[in-house]
Each structure stands twice: as C-alpha cells, then as structure tokens.
C-alpha cells in the first residue's frame, strides 16, 4: 500500500485496516500584510472643500482593491462554471452524434487556448462514455461483493467497519487516496467467487480506494487482474458464462496479461468497438490504440481480424501518433534506442498508410531533424536530430507527416448551434474580464498614489542598466535605490548555472551518510549547488553537519541566505550553540541581518547581542532601509528601527527618501522617528523612494 495523506480523524482507523500510516506535512502559511487602521484628521477649515490626505487616498484605493479581489474570486468561480457548462454542451453534442473533429473545428470561436479547449473536450468524451457504464462512487458495493479478498488486506467486514467509522458516508474523505495491490497469493476459490457477482459484475466503483493497475474496481476487473493465476484452460472455462466490457480488456493489455488470455477474453465482450476508459485523463478510441501504446503487435493483428483497427483521423490522432508518444525517451524528447518490438509495430503501421502529426509537417526543420507532436494527445512526442542521431533520422524522416492544423477552423459565426453557444459563452467571459480589468486599473492607481514602481518595472530598469553599464551596474543602481541592487543580485542568480544539484555528495547527504560526506568534502571542492544543499540542511541539523560545513576544503559562501528568514529564534540559538559563524555572507556579500529583519526583531537583537558585524557601506539595502520600509508597511514605528540605528551611523539619500515617505503618509510615525534620531530629518523637497524591497 502506498503512503497517503490523511486529513481526518478516521486515519487511525484506516491504519488498522491497511497497516500503514504516513506523517502529516504542514504547509507554510504566508500571511498577508495587514493594513493599519488610521485616524483621519478632522477638517480645520469647514469653508473649504475637504481634500483627502495621501494616506486616505491610498486606503480608499486599497479598500476598493480588496472588494475587487473578492469579486475576482467570485469571477474565477463563475469562469470555471462556464467552462463546465461547455463540457456539458459538448456531452450533449456527442450524444447527438456530432463528431469530435467537428467540435475541434470551432475551437477558435471559444477564445480558449487550444490546450484548454481540447482538455475540456476530452472531459466531455470521458463523461459521455461514463454515462454508458454502471459507475458508482459508493463503497457500499465493496461491502457486499463476493471475492473482495482478491484485494490484499481487504475484506467485506473491513469495508463495513470503515463505512461505520466514516459516519456511514460512502464517498471519499477530502485528500484521501489508498492504493492497494491485488493479493499475490489469492486462492482460486476467491477468483471464482468474483464471477458470482452476477448483478454487479461490471459495476465500477470509483473511490478513494484504488487497486494498483486500474482506476476503477469491479468484480470483472479484479478477476482479469488475476487472470494468470489460473491456467489458460481454467480461465476460458471460468469466463464462458460471463460477459465483460472493453474496459477489462484494456486493463489486461495495460497490465501485460498474456495475449492468449486477452484473446480468450475478447470472445466474451459483446461490443468490441466501444471506447475503453482504462485510465484517467487519457482518451484512446479503441482497444487497438491501447495495444499500439504497449507495442503489442500480435494483439493489434488479432484485433484487426475482428475489425478493430487503430484510429486514423488526420487532425485528431492516428495509431502512429500513439506509438510515437509511447516510445522510450532518454531525456526531453530525445528517443532512446529502439528495439525490435518498437520497429516491427511502427513498420506495420507505416505499411498500412498511417501517418503521424508533426511540428514540421511541410519541411524538415531546415534538413536538421524531424519533430513529431500531436495537439490532441498532448503527450511527449519525439524530436530526432539528423546530426546527433543519423540512424534514427534515416528511419523516421520518410514517415508521412500530417500538420496539426489539418482540420479547418471555423472563425466566424456560421449560425450553427455550436458557434452560437461558443460566442454567447465568450461574451459572458468578456463581461467578467471587463470587471477584472477595472481591478487592474485600481492597482495602477494605487502605485501612482504611493509613488511606487512595481517589481516588474523595477526589473526592467535593472536589465536596462545592466545593458548600459556592465560591471558598474550595481553602483549605478545603488545611487538610484539600493533595492535595485538586490534585484540585480536576484537576476544574476537566475542566470547562473551552478551545475547539477544531484551528485555523489548530495546523495550522501540525502541518505544521511554524513561521515562519508565529510570525507568527500575534505578532498573535493564542493560545487555551488552542493554548497547550497549543505547549507540548507545545516540550518535544520546544525549538530550533525557543523563539522562538515567548517571542514570544507574550499569554504564557498552560499548563493543566498534566504532560508534563514524562515527559522525561529530557537533555531538561530541552536546554530550558535553548534558553533555556526553568523558573520557569514552570501556570494554577493549580503549578511545575515537582512534575513533576520524578515524573521523577527528578537533575532535582530540576538545578533546585536552577539556582536555580529554588519557592513552598512555595502551595495544594496541595509538594515535601516528595511526598518523604515517596515514602518511604512505597518503604519507604525518598527521595533527594528532602534536596533538598526545601533548599526547604521551614516545616513544615505536612500534612508532619507524613506523617511520622507513616512513624513507624507504617516506624519505621527515620522515625528516619533525624528524625536528618536533628529539627524534623519530630510531636507525640504526630498524625493520619496520609488522602490520597495521584496525578499526573494
């Protein structure tokens, strides 16, 4: 049984039933900044029309944005509802006999991207097929099935007890999935008992209890999954009085049940040309498609003899598409070496005139390679590079290729029911989007009122400065605002490649083989990625890893110190006790104070008490910049301001710009600050800072 995540009290009971538990993992919650409540000043001159203060303007905009955010969430739900209504519409059209290809032709009218449109259409195909099957989401069926013991560790009594403990709720508790194997030592009597579930033999239970090898459970499915526990003759005799569906055949194919059993099973399926629903999120039209996906050529031929051939619909998908997306890949879309079973099936399909959808249907990527991809299947296709893989290129390049745009698109209203529905649906979405656009305008107004530049524009300025000033970029950016220097650092980190994070050293750490990792670090210079991995683990296990950290043959600094901001004071204290040197800086020379500011003022005090130095003349934001920004964001003097003033003795224009911001928006906070440190009083006309720091 696989490990599962249980979010309800019944987990303890489940552990008794299935002999397994799994620990909970708590999500780290990110709290939003709480806007301060402020007292609006009284109107002094009643004869003059009142004007809102800068803070009142900002707070009104924030209130409007908050309302917009609530409306946006409602709009998102409405859009999801509209998309689901499109699925229902597709289902009704499919029932009328409208082909999938016809529905695809109208995708442009929906304004959805092609991938989303196809995904919704696939949902409809599956939903329409399910309506033709007997599917239940209730566990009550399992409680009465004969032969349920074919599932390992499950009995009728255990299911009944489980239902009782769930308050007789037969549906899945949120977030709960249990995957169970079939019993390898199942008794033949149990398998024969499955055949006795006459009324529910092909009733499919889809619940949080799953059987490995199948998305659904039925007596028929369980019997087929255990088919090779019987001899072929026993199997043929056993199934002679029962009817199966294509779903059991599909399950047998996917689980590599021997072909002789599958061919015997075909005799007991009345509708061999039906679409099987053997696994989630996949739509293959018939059993031959599934046999192709497993490169089971003998079965493809056996099905051919019964009139079931692989799908061949240009613009939708073909059997050759199915084969190509299921070929083994060695990395990205690069094909691994093919064996005989692959080439024999591909040759079989090619000889019968099958073509494949291609990203370069009308050319050969400048004679450099071929690229197979199917917009409907949306699984990995294959890219065969002529130079790197000449043998495979020679094999695949002659394959006939079909453009993914093979189906013509309906781009204007043709007065059909499909066009009318899609255009009406798009109009409803446009009305919702118009409201969302109004909310975006409010965000722009807020930035204007606060005289702030958003993060994206800040990065644009960083990139432009980098193009113009090169190595001198950090100094130029610091003169504008030290925040931009930190954004430059972040952009450099994103561009650098420090090599593979997975290595011998990283594997030793993951396996907690710390002695071997220690020996490795004494003789081998760690890569940047290995250094970062070690640093991250050190913060969590200082006692185990401090010696290793201190004994590196070349003590590289970590890429950043961001993870420190997530640690409580107690963990900082554990690090100190273990001997960790808090005077550490990252690759750009940033010290621990920056992350301490985002952790708590107690941690800042802890660092000061331990006389940890801070270079306040370095490029980028310092502790006072951050303390002043905290004061603005909180609407009150940050507790970190007095601490910052113990470290920062010389004030820069960026400090005074942040003080000027407090003066404009929070005059009372400004007065408290100036009383604390008169030297921070900005000159008349000092420009406000236009950038705010985002710790990333």
């Amino acid at each position: 049984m696989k490990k599962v995540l249980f979010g309800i009290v019944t987990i303890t009971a489940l552990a008794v039933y299935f002999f397994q538990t799994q620990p909970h993992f708590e999500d780290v919650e990110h709290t939003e900044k709480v806007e301060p409540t402020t007292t609006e000043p009284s109107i002094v001159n009643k004869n003059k029309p009142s004007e809102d203060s800068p803070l009142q303007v900002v707070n009104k905009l924030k209130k409007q944005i908050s309302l917009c955010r609530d409306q946006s969430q409602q709009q998102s739900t409405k859009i999801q509802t509209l998309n689901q209504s499109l699925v229902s519409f597709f289902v009704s059209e499919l029932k009328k006999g409208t082909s999938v290809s016809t529905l695809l032709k109208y995708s442009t009218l929906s304004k959805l991207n092609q991938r989303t449109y196809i995904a919704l259409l696939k949902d409809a195909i599956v939903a329409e097929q399910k309506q033709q099957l007997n599917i239940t989401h209730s566990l009550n069926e399992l409680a009465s099935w004969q032969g349920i013991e074919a599932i390992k560790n499950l009995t009728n009594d255990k299911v009944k007890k489980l239902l009782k403990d769930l308050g007789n709720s037969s549906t899945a508790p949120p977030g709960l999935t249990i995957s169970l194997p079939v019993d390898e030592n199942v008794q033949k009597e149990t398998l024969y008992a499955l055949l006795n579930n006459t009324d529910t033999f092909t009733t499919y239970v889809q619940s949080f209890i799953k059987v490995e090898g199948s998305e659904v459970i039925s007596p028929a499915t369980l019997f087929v999954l255990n088919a090779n526990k019987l001899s072929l003759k026993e199997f043929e005799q056993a199934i002679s009085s029962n009817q199966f569906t294509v779903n059991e055949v599909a399950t047998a194919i996917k689980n590599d049940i021997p072909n002789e059993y599958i061919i015997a099973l075909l005799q007991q399926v009345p509708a061999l040309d039906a679409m099987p629903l053997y696994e989630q999120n996949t739509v293959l039209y018939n059993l031959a498609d599934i046999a192709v996906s497993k490169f089971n050529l003998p079965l493809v031929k056996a099905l051919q003899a019964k009139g079931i051939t692989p799908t061949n619909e240009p613009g939708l998908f073909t059997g050759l598409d199915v084969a190509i997306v299921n070929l083994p890949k060695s990395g990205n879309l690069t094909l691994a070496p093919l064996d005989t079973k692959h080439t024999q099936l591909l040759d079989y399909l090619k000889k019968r005139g099958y073509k494949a959808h291609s990203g370069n249907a009308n050319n050969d990527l400048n004679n450099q390679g071929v690229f197979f991809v199917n917009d409907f299947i949306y699984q990995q296709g294959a890219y065969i590079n002529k130079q790197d893989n000449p043998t495979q290129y020679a094999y695949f390049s002659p394959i006939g290729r079909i453009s993914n745009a093979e189906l013509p698109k309906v781009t204007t209203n043709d007065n059909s029911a499909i066009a009318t529905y899609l255009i009406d649906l798009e109009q409803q979405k446009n009305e919702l989007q118009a409201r969302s656009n109004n909310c975006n305008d409010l965000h722009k107004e807020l930035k204007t009122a606060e005289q702030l530049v958003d993060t994206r524009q800040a990065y644009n300025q960083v990139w432009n400065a980098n193009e113009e000033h090169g190595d001198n970029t950090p100094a130029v950016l610091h003169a504008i605002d030290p925040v931009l220097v930190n954004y430059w650092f972040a952009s450099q980190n994103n561009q650098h490649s420090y090599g593979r994070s997975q290595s011998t050293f990283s594997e030793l750490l993951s396996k907690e083989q710390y002695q071997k990792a220690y020996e490795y670090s004494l003789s081998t210079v760690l890569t940047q990625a290995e250094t970062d991995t070690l640093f991250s683990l050190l913060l969590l296990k200082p006692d185990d890893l401090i010696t290793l950290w201190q004994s590196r043959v070349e003590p590289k600094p970590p890429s950043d110190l961001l993870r420190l901001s997530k640690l409580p004071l107690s963990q900082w204290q554990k690090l100190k006790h273990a001997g960790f040197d808090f005077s550490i800086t990252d690759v750009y020379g940033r010290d621990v104070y920056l992350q301490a500011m985002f952790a708590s003022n107690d941690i800042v005090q802890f660092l000061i008490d331990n006389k940890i130095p801070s270079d306040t003349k370095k490029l980028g934001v310092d502790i006072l910049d951050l303390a002043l920004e905290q004061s603005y964001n909180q609407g009150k003097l940050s507790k970190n301001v007095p601490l910052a003033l113990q470290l920062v003795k010389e004030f820069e224009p960026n400090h005074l710009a942040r003080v000027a911001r407090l003066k404009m928006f929070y005059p009372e906070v400004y007065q408290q600050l100036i009383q604390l440190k008169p030297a921070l009083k900005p000159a008349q006309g000092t420009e406000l800072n236009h950038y705010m720091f985002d710790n990333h």
Side-chain angles (χ1 to χ4, degrees):
M1 185 196 327
K2 297 179 180 176
K3 292 186 177 181
V4 296
L5 179 62
F6 300 140
I8 57 173
V9 178
T10 57
I11 304 313
T12 304
L14 288 174
V16 173
Y17 304 143
F18 307 116
F19 314 110
Q20 185 170 351
T21 60
Q22 177 172 331
H24 292 277
F25 293 90
E26 297 181 358
D27 292 332
V28 177
E29 297 181 356
H30 299 277
T31 56
E32 297 183 354
K33 293 175 182 175
V34 179
E35 298 300 333
T37 57
T38 59
T39 304
E40 298 181 1
S42 59
I43 300 172
V44 177
N45 189 340
K46 296 183 180 180
N47 295 324
K48 290 184 179 181
S50 63
E51 292 185 2
D52 289 336
S53 69
L55 180 60
Q56 288 173 317
V57 172
V58 166
N59 283 342
K60 284 183 178 180
L61 285 169
K62 287 182 177 179
K63 184 175 181 180
Q64 291 175 336
I65 289 171
S66 178
L67 293 173
C68 256
R69 188 182 298 116
D70 294 339
Q71 292 175 359
S72 177
Q73 292 174 350
Q74 296 172 8
Q75 289 165 16
S76 176
T77 302
K78 289 178 181 178
I79 288 176
Q80 291 177 9
T81 301
L82 290 175
N83 285 341
Q84 287 307 306
S85 72
L86 180 56
V87 173
S88 299
F89 174 77
F90 284 153
V91 169
S92 66
E93 286 296 313
L94 291 169
K95 283 184 175 179
K96 293 177 186 177
T98 305
S99 69
V100 173
S101 297
T102 299
L103 293 172
L104 273 177
K105 292 178 183 179
Y106 288 87
S107 61
T108 305
L109 293 183
S110 76
K111 305 301 181 185
L112 289 167
N113 66 62
Q114 184 81 349
R115 185 180 289 263
T116 302
Y117 188 91
I118 289 175
L120 295 174
L121 181 52
K122 284 184 176 181
D123 287 345
I125 295 169
V126 172
E128 196 269 338
Q129 282 297 115
K130 281 185 174 180
Q131 290 178 7
Q132 301 176 36
L133 300 172
N134 189 6
I135 295 177
T136 178
H137 299 284
S138 170
L139 287 181
N140 288 321
E141 293 287 348
L142 298 181
S144 59
W145 280 351
Q146 299 180 54
I148 194 66
E149 296 83 4
I151 303 175
K152 192 172 184 178
N153 296 328
L154 205 61
T155 64
N156 299 115
D157 289 340
K158 284 183 178 180
V159 176
K160 291 175 183 176
K161 182 69 165 56
L162 174 59
L163 286 170
K164 182 179 179 181
D165 288 342
L166 290 174
N168 291 320
S169 171
S170 59
T171 56
L176 179 59
T177 301
I178 299 173
S179 185
L180 301 173
V182 294
D183 188 351
E184 295 178 357
N185 301 313
V186 63
Q187 300 297 310
K188 290 183 180 180
E189 291 76 10
T190 300
L191 297 182
Y192 289 127
L194 288 168
L195 299 171
N196 295 330
N197 294 285
T198 308
D199 296 335
T200 58
F201 190 59
T202 53
T203 295
Y204 301 97
V205 176
Q206 196 164 25
S207 73
F208 60 90
I209 296 180
K210 299 183 182 301
V211 175
E212 293 176 6
S214 178
E215 284 291 318
V216 295
I217 304 175
S218 72
T221 302
L222 293 176
F223 184 83
V224 167
L225 284 172
N226 288 280
N228 54 4
K229 304 291 194 315
L230 302 174
S231 69
L232 178 59
K233 185 175 182 179
E234 288 174 328
F235 181 77
E236 290 174 336
Q237 290 176 344
I239 65 174
S240 61
S241 300
N242 290 77
Q243 287 191 346
F244 294 78
T245 75
V246 289
N247 296 288
E248 284 78 59
V249 181
T251 298
I253 298 171
K254 294 295 289 184
N255 286 276
D256 299 314
I257 299 297
N259 277 351
E260 54 266 30
Y261 288 81
I262 296 174
I263 291 170
L265 190 61
L266 294 176
Q267 312 304 319
Q268 305 303 123
V269 180
L272 279 176
D273 59 346
M275 181 192 298
L277 297 174
Y278 63 93
E279 62 183 33
Q280 198 172 11
N281 301 325
T282 302
V283 177
L284 295 180
Y285 276 7
N286 59 42
L287 293 173
D289 292 333
I290 299 171
V292 166
S293 74
K294 296 291 289 184
F295 296 94
N296 190 335
L297 182 56
L299 188 58
V300 171
K301 292 179 177 180
L303 289 166
Q304 165 86 31
K306 293 181 176 295
I308 310 300
T309 58
T311 299
N312 193 14
E313 293 193 38
L316 193 59
F317 72 90
T318 73
L320 203 47
D321 289 325
V322 175
I324 289 173
V325 300
N326 284 284
L327 288 170
K329 313 292 193 307
S330 60
N332 296 326
L333 298 178
T334 305
L335 287 181
L338 305 183
D339 58 28
T340 303
K341 77 170 184 178
H342 300 125
T343 54
Q344 285 181 344
L345 186 132
L346 291 168
D347 291 341
Y348 176 86
L349 294 172
K350 287 192 296 181
K351 287 178 182 178
R352 278 152 184 76
Y354 282 83
K355 298 180 180 180
H357 289 80
S358 171
N360 54 313
N362 300 317
N363 57 68
D364 208 4
L365 294 181
N366 298 321
N367 203 34
Q368 295 301 309
V370 290
F371 176 42
F372 295 102
V373 60
N374 181 281
D375 286 347
F376 185 81
I377 296 179
Y378 274 131
Q379 291 173 259
Q380 277 196 339
Y383 172 67
I384 300 96
N385 184 282
K386 182 178 181 180
Q387 182 176 353
D388 297 339
N389 218 331
T391 302
Q392 287 192 350
Y393 174 80
Y395 179 82
F396 281 96
S397 58
I399 288 177
R401 298 195 285 279
I402 306 170
S403 169
N404 282 284
E406 180 79 12
L407 291 175
K409 299 292 184 183
V410 178
T411 57
T412 58
N413 190 350
D414 60 3
N415 295 320
S416 66
I418 300 173
T420 301
Y421 186 88
L422 291 175
I423 290 172
D424 177 65
L425 197 66
E426 190 58 31
Q427 184 176 350
Q428 294 180 59
K429 289 184 178 180
N430 287 339
E431 292 173 359
L432 292 172
Q433 186 60 47
R435 299 173 194 170
S436 178
N437 291 339
N438 291 336
C439 291
N440 292 335
D441 292 339
L442 286 174
H443 282 283
K444 294 177 183 177
E445 289 182 36
L446 177 61
K447 290 296 181 185
T448 300
E450 290 187 290
Q451 300 185 39
L452 289 172
V453 175
D454 65 33
T455 304
R456 184 179 63 180
Q457 291 173 301
Y459 270 107
N460 287 337
Q461 182 152 357
V462 168
W463 293 325
N464 291 336
N466 200 40
E467 288 287 327
E468 184 176 352
H469 301 286
D471 293 341
N472 199 37
T473 297
V476 171
L477 293 175
H478 188 92
I480 300 171
D481 194 304
V483 164
L484 295 176
V485 180
N486 289 77
Y487 287 175
W488 182 81
F489 291 150
S491 69
Q492 296 303 299
N493 265 348
N494 291 335
Q495 293 174 20
H496 290 163
S497 175
Y498 294 120
R500 297 182 303 125
S501 60
Q502 282 300 317
S503 66
T504 300
F505 180 74
S506 298
E507 289 177 7
L508 291 174
L509 291 178
S510 67
K511 295 176 181 177
E512 298 186 356
Q513 296 178 1
Y514 299 142
Q515 180 60 34
K516 290 184 178 180
Y518 170 74
E519 293 168 0
Y520 180 98
S521 69
L522 289 177
S523 58
T524 307
V525 176
L526 301 185
T527 66
Q528 188 62 55
E530 290 169 340
T531 300
D532 292 340
T533 299
L534 175 58
F535 178 70
S536 299
L537 292 173
L538 168 69
L539 299 184
L540 301 176
K541 299 181 176 181
D543 292 331
D544 293 332
L545 296 170
I546 190 65
T547 302
L548 200 164
W549 177 258
Q550 294 171 339
S551 303
R552 290 169 294 153
V553 65
E554 183 182 303
K556 290 180 181 177
S559 298
D560 62 61
L561 306 176
L562 185 63
R563 281 184 169 81
L564 281 167
S565 68
K566 311 298 182 184
L567 302 181
L569 175 60
S570 59
Q571 196 65 18
W572 290 66
Q573 291 169 334
K574 286 182 181 178
L575 284 163
K576 177 181 180 297
H577 184 265
F580 180 74
D581 182 5
F582 281 108
S583 64
I584 186 176
T585 61
D586 65 16
V587 292
Y588 298 110
R590 293 173 292 187
D591 60 39
V592 297
Y593 277 99
L594 187 149
Q595 300 307 329
M597 287 288 293
F598 285 93
S600 74
N601 65 292
D602 289 338
I603 293 175
V604 177
Q605 184 68 63
F606 163 81
L607 294 175
I608 292 174
D609 291 344
N610 284 281
K611 298 180 173 53
I612 305 301
S614 178
D615 181 5
T616 59
K617 295 185 181 298
K618 67 183 183 299
L619 296 179
V621 295
D622 61 26
I623 186 171
L624 183 56
D625 287 312
L626 298 181
L628 293 171
E629 285 196 7
Q630 284 181 353
S631 299
Y632 174 74
N633 289 327
Q634 296 169 4
K636 61 183 180 181
L637 197 64
S638 169
K639 293 180 179 179
N640 281 317
V641 168
L643 301 176
L645 290 173
Q646 294 181 43
L647 298 172
V648 181
K649 303 301 182 183
E650 296 181 16
F651 305 132
E652 301 176 355
N654 42 280
H655 299 137
L656 299 177
R658 284 160 172 76
V659 176
R661 171 171 295 281
L662 289 173
K663 182 178 181 181
M664 173 178 285
F665 290 96
Y666 294 102
E668 293 181 3
V669 177
Y670 166 76
Q671 290 298 332
Q672 294 174 21
L673 175 65
I674 297 307
Q675 289 177 12
L676 182 65
K677 197 69 175 180
L680 278 172
K681 185 174 182 179
Q684 189 68 27
T686 297
E687 187 175 354
L688 276 61
N689 62 302
H690 301 304
Y691 305 91
M692 298 289 279
F693 184 71
D694 183 10
N695 192 29
H696 63 283

